[in-house]
Amino acid sequence: MEFFTIGVYNSSEKEFFDKLFENNIDTFCDIRQRRGVRGAKYSFVNSNRLQQKLNDLEIKYGYIPDLAPTSEIRELQKEIDIEKGELKSERQELGKVFVIEYKNRILKNFDFEKFFESLDQIGANRIALFCVEEHPEACHRSIVSGKLMTNYNYKITHL
């Protein structure tokens, strides 16, 4: 199995799906808490439209809510963004408090072995972990990626 990460901010619909297609992604793991984005600009990643398009591209879709940060953890990052005067869509990195809380409350309890087994069962080979932020360092998917690299020796490619 190979893992990739992808965000949507600052990508057009065509650019976003081209990245998946060009990298032969066969399995798409949505690790957002809420599977919708406000406004028309990124409406193509709202759950129903996204799943339909992935189906058209013959890419399997999975929602992994156990990897999503809780509302409380997301609120911690929102406070940091406000202090910095930074928009979520322009964020470059996560705050330390968010990282600590995400690792302690989410990653520590996530069953990666069960996750890998479920991917094996569906024949997943090239798996994209998805959330909205453009830069992986600005998103919890970088923390998940770090765990996959450090604990399981997977190489991660950021699309």
Side-chain angles (χ1 to χ4, degrees), residues 14-66:
K14 181 181 180 343
E15 290 167 336
F16 180 80
F17 289 109
D18 281 353
K19 287 177 192 175
L20 298 174
F21 182 77
E22 290 165 5
N23 287 280
N24 298 310
I25 301 300
D26 60 56
T27 306
F28 186 97
C29 293
D30 193 336
I31 62 171
R32 299 176 288 176
Q33 181 189 38
R34 289 185 268 148
R35 295 183 290 165
V37 179
R38 290 187 185 146
K41 186 173 183 180
Y42 300 112
S43 62
F44 60 91
V45 293
N46 288 339
S47 184
N48 291 338
R49 273 187 66 187
L50 174 63
Q51 289 182 63
Q52 182 58 57
K53 180 67 175 182
L54 292 171
N55 187 56
D56 293 347
L57 295 171
E58 299 181 355
I59 297 172
K60 295 178 266 315
Y61 174 86
Y63 177 46
I64 318 296
D66 291 344

Side-chain angles (χ1 to χ4, degrees), residues 88-103:
K88 177 182 178 180
S89 60
E90 297 171 1
R91 182 187 315 134
Q92 297 292 312
E93 64 183 6
L94 291 167
K96 289 179 184 175
V97 173
F98 179 98
V99 173
I100 291 166
E101 291 302 313
Y102 183 81
K103 285 179 177 179

